[in-house]
Amino acid sequence: SSRVLWTLAVTQLQLSRNRSFSTMSRFKHPSHEKSVEGGKSELDQAFATHGKNLVVVNFWGECDPCKQMVDKIESLAVSLPPKASFYRVDAEANEDLCEIYGVRAIPTFMFFKDGLRVSKLVGADPDQLEQAVKGLLD
């Protein structure tokens, strides 16, 4: 089954606060993107919580292309709740998950509904990300 069996610890961020993730990155991440750090059951719980709504998982690193996507992710995360939820996975810290899901480059965005992967986008193209997210919401 292509049902996602991730169990990742999910750290919920308050929507009203901009925070720097010093333990994960030296650059500022969107405050509306939830951090995923190791394990599997927590992300499964997030998929269950969001049901049919879109879940966008951003496999990221400290590369320049990943940094270029920050503003677009923040914009989408602010404008789309509760239709879409955004999560990020540090690719370097979660190499096993990258291997399982075929992540070969960062940033890679995976899109899930009902815990099933429905699409994938590789690369730092803010317009393509917006089109992909909005297309999956229709």
Side-chain angles (χ1 to χ4, degrees), residues 35-56:
S35 176
V36 174
E37 300 174 2
K40 286 188 176 184
S41 65
E42 295 292 331
L43 194 51
D44 275 344
Q45 181 60 42
F47 290 145
T49 300
H50 296 295
K52 294 186 183 294
N53 289 339
L54 181 65
V55 175
V56 180

Side-chain angles (χ1 to χ4, degrees), residues 6-115:
W6 278 357
T7 324
L8 296 169
V10 177
T11 303
Q12 294 282 345
L13 300 177
Q14 294 178 2
L15 294 179
S16 62
R17 289 174 45 189
N18 240 345
R19 291 181 39 182
S20 176
F21 295 87
S22 59
T23 60
M24 298 179 64
S25 171
R26 288 183 287 279
F27 67 93
K28 191 172 257 187
H29 273 285
S31 62
H32 297 84
E33 193 181 28
K34 299 151 195 81
S35 176
V36 174
E37 300 174 2
K40 286 188 176 184
S41 65
E42 295 292 331
L43 194 51
D44 275 344
Q45 181 60 42
F47 290 145
T49 300
H50 296 295
K52 294 186 183 294
N53 289 339
L54 181 65
V55 175
V56 180
V57 181
N58 171 13
F59 287 85
W60 66 275
E62 292 195 39
C63 63
D64 287 337
C66 294
K67 294 174 188 176
Q68 293 170 1
M69 298 301 289
V70 170
D71 289 341
K72 179 54 71 176
I73 294 166
E74 179 74 1
S75 171
L76 291 169
V78 168
S79 65
L80 297 175
K83 297 177 186 176
S85 297
F86 293 79
Y87 292 82
R88 72 176 169 277
V89 174
D90 181 334
E92 289 181 20
N94 294 283
E95 290 178 9
D96 56 333
L97 292 174
C98 291
E99 187 173 325
I100 290 168
Y101 290 97
V103 174
R104 305 279 182 254
I106 54 174
T108 293
F109 298 89
M110 294 200 181
F111 307 90
F112 297 85
K113 286 187 176 181
D114 287 327

Side-chain angles (χ1 to χ4, degrees), residues 118-133:
V118 295
S119 189
K120 176 179 175 179
L121 174 66
V122 178
D125 185 328
D127 293 333
Q128 271 191 325
L129 177 62
E130 183 172 4
Q131 290 173 1
V133 170

